[in-house]
Amino acid sequence: MESIKDVIRKISGGKSPLEQSEKMLKELLEDKDVLEFLKRKEGQGITRSDLLKNVPKLYQFVNERHHCRECPGLKNCPNMMQGFRPDLVNDKESLNLTFSPCPLKEAEDMKQKQKGLIKSFYVPKEILTADFQSFIPDIKRKDSILAAGEFIKGYLDSPTDVKGLYLYGEFGVGKTYLAGAIVNELAKRKGISSMLVYTPDFFREMRQSIQDGTVDEKLETVKKVPVLVLDDIGAETMTPWIRDDILGSILQYRMMESLPTIYTSNKDFDDLEAHLSYSDKSGEETLKAKRIMERIRYYTTFVQMEGDNRRGS
């Protein structure tokens, strides 16, 4: 933006500073935004002398408001404070400028905030931007999309009463993408934070974290997030420690605190229970597996997803 000093220098033509300011003020008083401000503040004691003393502020106000009307986009915004538009205020009989973010700036800030709300462990980047608009709806996916909508509505109405979701289906039908669309919608509507965890890699990392002593820190983060997505549960290599001390601890805490969990899996409830009951070291431990499954069965809505493979052949 051209500075007020440069503008005055160009138009001065040897005139005195007062004459220069008078000339500029005459032009500024033709601006509709300035006229609207003076009309609103009529009777508040704003004199011509006050306006003359504040020609630089009036100039910045008019110039930057013009930029906003001819907006070149947020990245190319020429205003001194990029993405902010000025307003005139009469503060204690003195003219001042205040600045507020424009709609484009607000949208960008919300987008960045939204990104910050959604954490992930080993989840593809495309899932972090998933939304219902780009989800390909068809008759086969109708029920799962409706179930996702019901979960969002239920969470927004009463987050401690809503059940989680168990999204079951074949490889590539869009389970993870739908889970991503759900958490993005919650972030967009109410600023709700969430975490998406690709379960096999997360459990592998937890085993490795024993060496550096970060197991408890990572476990606490996953346990306490408002909305948790455990992606591809059942695809991990199961051990008693993972089942009882990691998964069991996460689900017990979330059950006690009424925090909903969304699962995606290629296994239905019975197959997942069989998977949880067996490990190479301990053989079958059906009671412990049933204890985990109780926390999944009774605190989720089972949703079978069908449809063509979204990832292509």
Side-chain angles (χ1 to χ4, degrees):
M1 184 183 74
E2 193 173 22
S3 72
I4 185 65
K5 290 182 179 179
D6 291 336
V7 173
I8 292 175
R9 190 180 299 115
K10 286 181 181 179
I11 67 171
S12 63
K15 296 180 180 178
S16 69
L18 179 59
E19 289 176 319
Q20 296 165 19
S21 295
E22 287 277 8
K23 178 177 173 58
M24 284 200 70
L25 179 60
K26 183 178 179 181
E27 294 177 0
L28 292 169
L29 288 176
E30 295 176 0
D31 180 80
K32 66 181 185 67
D33 290 329
V34 174
L35 291 174
E36 287 177 6
F37 167 77
L38 293 174
K39 185 176 180 180
R40 290 196 309 271
K41 303 301 179 181
E42 191 173 358
Q44 294 190 14
I46 299 177
T47 66
R48 187 173 183 82
S49 176
D50 295 329
L51 297 175
L52 279 171
K53 286 188 293 187
N54 288 282
V55 162
K57 293 176 183 177
L58 290 170
Y59 173 77
Q60 183 179 350
F61 172 73
V62 169
N63 202 36
E64 294 195 355
R65 277 300 185 102
H66 173 75
H67 294 158
C68 292
R69 286 194 294 271
E70 304 292 332
C71 179
L74 185 59
K75 288 184 178 180
N76 298 313
C77 176
N79 287 355
M80 289 181 67
M81 295 177 61
Q82 192 174 60
F84 287 80
R85 56 186 178 188
D87 278 300
L88 279 171
V89 294
N90 187 26
D91 182 22
K92 298 178 181 178
E93 300 183 359
S94 177
L95 290 181
N96 278 304
L97 290 176
T98 62
F99 299 87
S100 58
C102 70
L104 292 180
K105 173 67 174 170
E106 288 180 336
E108 178 63 21
D109 288 347
M110 178 58 71
K111 184 179 178 180
Q112 294 304 317
K113 179 182 178 183
Q114 199 173 325
K115 285 182 180 179
L117 289 170
I118 302 171
K119 312 297 182 185
S120 67
F121 279 105
Y122 307 110
V123 174
K125 289 183 179 179
E126 67 180 64
I127 302 303
L128 302 182
T129 58
D131 58 43
F132 287 99
Q133 286 68 40
S134 56
F135 198 95
I136 305 172
D138 57 38
I139 192 65
K140 294 179 181 179
R141 293 188 177 93
K142 180 181 176 182
D143 289 343
S144 56
I145 295 172
L146 287 174
E150 287 298 313
F151 172 82
I152 291 169
K153 182 179 183 300
Y155 189 93
L156 295 177
D157 289 344
S158 182
T160 59
D161 294 328
V162 67
K163 278 188 171 185
L165 295 175
Y166 190 93
L167 305 177
Y168 160 72
E170 297 298 322
F171 174 84
V173 296
K175 303 182 296 295
T176 305
Y177 194 90
L178 182 59
I182 291 170
V183 298
N184 277 317
E185 189 68 18
L186 289 174
K188 182 169 65 176
R189 288 202 196 181
K190 290 289 185 178
I192 296 162
S193 61
S194 58
M195 179 175 288
L196 293 93
V197 174
Y198 180 62
T199 310
D201 283 345
F202 173 66
F203 287 161
R204 189 178 302 115
E205 179 175 326
M206 293 300 284
R207 285 195 294 270
Q208 295 169 351
S209 298
I210 296 173
Q211 297 177 353
D212 62 17
T214 59
V215 170
D216 290 342
E217 179 183 350
K218 292 174 181 176
L219 191 58
E220 287 298 300
T221 301
V222 174
K223 282 163 57 173
K224 295 180 178 180
V225 69
V227 178
L228 173 65
V229 176
L230 291 177
D231 183 42
D232 211 7
I233 191 169
E236 67 284 333
T237 300
M238 187 51 58
T239 68
W241 181 74
I242 287 293
R243 180 193 60 213
D244 303 330
D245 294 285
I246 302 303
L247 181 60
S249 176
I250 291 170
L251 300 190
Q252 176 68 15
Y253 181 90
R254 299 186 68 76
M255 179 186 73
M256 297 297 294
E257 298 298 322
S258 299
L259 299 171
T261 305
I262 299 171
Y263 306 82
T264 77
S265 184
N266 296 332
K267 299 181 184 296
D268 63 16
F269 282 159
D270 291 338
D271 288 339
L272 182 61
E273 184 172 328
H275 171 74
L276 292 171
S277 70
Y278 181 80
S279 68
D280 291 337
K281 293 182 179 180
S282 302
E284 287 196 39
E285 295 183 294
T286 56
L287 287 178
K288 291 184 177 180
K290 286 183 181 296
R291 191 175 298 121
I292 297 292
M293 286 307 302
E294 284 180 0
R295 295 173 175 83
I296 297 177
R297 288 179 190 271
Y298 300 116
Y299 293 95
T300 61
T301 298
F302 184 87
V303 179
Q304 182 165 355
M305 287 191 67
E306 298 178 345
D308 298 328
N309 189 334
R310 286 175 54 89
R311 304 180 193 180
S313 56

